[in-house]
């Protein structure tokens, strides 16, 4: 009986959380189009989110390209299909692996940072002070961060994918003496707009999800220092789950569109 009650409570809590995040997103869209616009703060947040995550994304992308190529090569060698490595690696990274892995890495870096920052401001009553002074903290703190993460994540994914292909080309150059020019000629011959466009579109949704959940958890943080840690941790967990859901929906819709 207690297990059943606990299950019902968990389900109720889950749907309540989903409803609260939906209302939070609705408020974002309502506030986003109403002046005044915080362009200066938006640029600062773009710098914080983009520039400070760049090195992490580049290292992740480079290692991803190295490992993926090293793991794929032995299997393809058994079938004499080494010439397919540039095409397979490039399509796999650009369409699926690159955006998802980099989005998950960014969720840990960006989502937790936003959740901890806004949570600290809520705990120390800085947000309350802004409301009392007549400033709109939601527009200044939340809208700018969500827009910045939505704009910056596609750029980070482009950089990460590019570095991944460089890492893959390096492995091919060392293992099979394939020149970089030949490698990237095969890459560009294999890639089509149907590979790039869906990945680019869903990367905007990944960025929006990271900013939205991070801001929601931080802005509605519980009182106390424990609440800041919980908000930061929950932002990463929720965002990671949401990224997989968005990716599934994007792949499903893309498959239907291109089949038609």
């Amino acid at each position: 009986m207690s297990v059943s009650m606990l299950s019902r409570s968990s389900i109720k809590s889950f749907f309540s959380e989903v409803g609260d995040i939906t209302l939070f997103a609705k408020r974002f869209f309502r506030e986003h189009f109403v002046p005044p616009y915080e362009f200066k703060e938006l640029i600062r947040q773009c710098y914080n989110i983009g520039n400070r995550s760049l090195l992490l994304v580049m290292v992740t992308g480079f290692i991803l390209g190295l490992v993926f190529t090293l793991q794929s090569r032995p299997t393809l060698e058994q079938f004499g299909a080494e010439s397919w490595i540039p095409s397979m690696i490039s399509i796999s990274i650009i369409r699926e692996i690159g955006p998802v892995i980099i989005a998950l890495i960014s969720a840990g870096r960006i989502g937790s940072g936003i959740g901890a920052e806004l949570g600290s401001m809520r705990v120390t009553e800085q947000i309350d002070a802004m409301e009392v002074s007549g400033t709109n903290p939601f527009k200044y703190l939340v809208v700018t961060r969500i827009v910045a993460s939505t704009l910056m994540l596609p750029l980070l994914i482009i950089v990460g994918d590019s570095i991944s292909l460089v890492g893959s080309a390096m492995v091919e150059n060392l293992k099979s003496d394939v020149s970089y020019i030949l490698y990237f000629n095969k890459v560009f011959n294999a890639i089509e707009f149907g590979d790039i466009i869906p990945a680019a579109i869903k990367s905007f949704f990944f960025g929006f999800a990271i900013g939205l959940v991070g801001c929601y958890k931080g802005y509605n943080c519980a009182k106390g220092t424990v609440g800041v840690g919980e908000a930061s941790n929950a932002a990463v967990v929720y965002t990671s789950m949401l990224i997989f859901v968005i990716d599934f929906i994007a792949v499903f819709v893309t498959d239907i569109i291109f089949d038609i």
Side-chain angles (χ1 to χ4, degrees):
M1 184 68 178
S2 60
V3 175
S4 177
M5 292 178 61
L6 181 62
S7 177
R8 287 199 299 268
S9 176
S10 299
I11 294 174
K12 182 179 179 181
S13 175
F14 171 77
F15 283 106
S16 176
E17 194 86 10
V18 171
D20 291 340
I21 293 177
T22 303
L23 293 175
F24 195 80
K26 181 180 177 182
R27 183 180 178 185
F28 161 77
F29 286 111
R30 187 173 65 247
E31 296 277 359
H32 175 61
F33 297 103
V34 177
Y37 304 107
E38 303 290 347
F39 288 112
K40 186 176 181 180
E41 178 65 13
L42 175 61
I43 296 301
R44 191 176 75 85
Q45 291 303 323
C46 286
Y47 173 80
N48 289 338
I49 291 173
N51 185 66
R52 294 183 179 179
S53 304
L54 185 60
L55 180 60
L56 177 62
V57 168
M58 292 176 67
V59 172
T60 302
F62 185 71
I63 295 175
L64 175 63
L66 292 177
V67 173
F68 192 29
T69 306
L70 288 171
Q71 292 291 334
S72 303
R73 166 167 279 280
T75 303
L76 293 176
E77 282 180 342
Q78 294 178 3
F79 298 95
E82 300 96 323
S83 61
W84 288 93
I85 289 179
S87 303
M88 185 199 73
I89 296 295
S90 60
I91 292 174
S92 300
I93 287 178
I94 290 174
R95 292 190 65 171
E96 186 63 27
I97 298 176
V100 172
I101 295 298
I102 293 171
L104 291 174
I105 294 297
S106 299
R109 166 65 182 84
I110 299 170
S112 62
I114 292 176
E117 184 179 10
L118 294 187
S120 299
M121 295 182 70
R122 174 63 74 181
V123 168
T124 57
E125 299 182 349
Q126 295 181 51
I127 296 178
D128 297 333
M130 292 177 69
E131 292 174 346
V132 171
S133 65
T135 306
N136 185 349
F138 191 92
K139 179 177 286 292
Y140 185 81
L141 299 175
V142 174
V143 173
T144 54
R145 283 167 173 78
I146 295 178
V147 173
S149 64
T150 304
L151 295 177
M152 288 296 105
L153 193 69
L155 299 179
L156 292 174
I157 289 175
I158 291 172
V159 173
D161 289 350
S162 302
I163 298 297
S164 296
L165 295 178
V166 171
S168 177
M170 185 178 296
V171 172
E172 284 299 285
N173 181 260
L174 295 175
K175 288 283 188 178
S176 299
D177 199 25
V178 176
S179 68
Y180 291 98
I181 295 176
L182 177 59
Y183 183 91
F184 283 103
N185 279 337
K186 290 185 177 182
V187 167
F188 291 125
N189 287 333
I191 296 174
E192 300 176 351
F193 279 107
D195 303 317
I196 299 174
I197 300 302
I201 292 174
K202 70 182 178 182
S203 66
F204 284 98
F205 287 97
F206 289 161
F208 177 77
I210 292 172
L212 178 68
V213 176
C215 288
Y216 167 77
K217 283 297 180 180
Y219 198 78
N220 298 289
C221 173
K223 297 295 183 181
T225 55
V226 176
V228 177
E230 291 177 349
S232 178
N233 180 66
V236 177
V237 174
Y238 279 48
T239 304
S240 300
M241 294 174 58
L242 194 55
I243 285 171
F244 285 116
V245 172
I246 293 172
D247 184 57
F248 168 74
I249 295 173
V251 172
F252 184 76
V253 172
T254 302
D255 185 62
I256 293 176
I257 292 175
F258 282 92
D259 278 350
I260 294 175

